Amino acid sequence: PSIAPFLKSREKEGMKLENYYSNASWTLPAHSSLFTGKLPSEHGCHTGNPYFDCENSLVRYMNNNGFKTVGLSENSFVSKSSGLGKEFDSFECFSTTEKGGNAWRNVWQRDNEFDSRFQKYQEFFKIAIAEKDIESVKTFFKHALDKFKHNLGIFSESDYNPKKTDLIINECLASLDSSQDTFLFANIM
């Protein structure tokens, strides 16, 4: 597989990066910054708006320049429901909280419409009950339990699962074993 030309030229020049800094303290806006080269205040993905909705991203650039784009993730914040996986040709999230159902996706994609979490959760349960969407309700409680455990410093299997990590690494290797130029993004826990 070939490497992006601009990276290949830097490799020959001996480019060395010594200091790495994140533009945000949590996954979604940090990855949105990686995909856009912008600060959270510029791309608009932050605590008040936890949904990536930027049209001008690295993934789109790679798609427009002939690369097959593949995304793999163990993290529900790096998923189609968060907006980060939507522009990939192929994207799979192995997180247990990514499953969801219609109500889960509907409400989380419209997060910025709600004035409070209470209002968001109220809307979520209204939709889930009306549609008898048990899958979304299960996902909601799994998500809430994981957040509660995380706040207590207890990490669940969804935070780190060596079987999922191995699966993603094998998928990465399979994706790169292609004659087509491929942009591969993987987020493992």
Side-chain angles (χ1 to χ4, degrees), residues 155-182:
F155 298 97
S156 68
E157 185 176 284
S158 66
D159 288 323
Y160 172 68
N161 182 334
K163 289 179 184 176
K164 287 183 195 177
T165 303
D166 288 344
L167 181 62
I168 287 178
I169 290 170
N170 289 333
E171 290 284 330
C172 288
L173 294 172
S175 293
L176 291 174
D177 193 24
S178 165
S179 60
Q180 184 177 0
D181 287 339
T182 302

Side-chain angles (χ1 to χ4, degrees), residues 94-115:
F94 297 88
S95 169
T96 54
T97 57
E98 172 60 15
K99 292 177 184 170
N102 185 53
W104 178 263
R105 285 185 292 278
N106 179 316
V107 172
W108 264 255
Q109 287 179 1
R110 299 183 303 125
D111 193 79
N112 62 337
E113 295 176 20
F114 304 105
D115 294 328

Side-chain angles (χ1 to χ4, degrees), residues 26 44-50 111-112 114:
W26 64 288
C45 184
H46 44 73
T47 305
N49 179 34
D111 193 79
N112 62 337
F114 304 105

Side-chain angles (χ1 to χ4, degrees), residues 16 35 49 129 131 136 188:
K16 182 179 178 184
F35 285 5
N49 179 34
I129 290 167
E131 295 181 2
S136 283
I188 56 176

Side-chain angles (χ1 to χ4, degrees), residues 27-79:
T27 304
L28 188 56
H31 280 68
S32 298
S33 291
L34 284 172
F35 285 5
T36 63
K38 297 178 180 179
L39 296 170
S41 60
E42 297 170 315
H43 59 63
C45 184
H46 44 73
T47 305
N49 179 34
Y51 184 74
F52 178 72
D53 193 22
C54 186
E55 297 295 321
N56 189 15
S57 74
L58 176 61
V59 179
R60 169 130 340 144
Y61 174 82
M62 299 307 270
N63 280 332
N64 291 341
N65 285 281
F67 284 77
K68 176 177 83 171
T69 55
V70 177
L72 301 160
S73 174
E74 278 185 82
N75 187 331
S76 61
F77 285 118
V78 181
S79 64

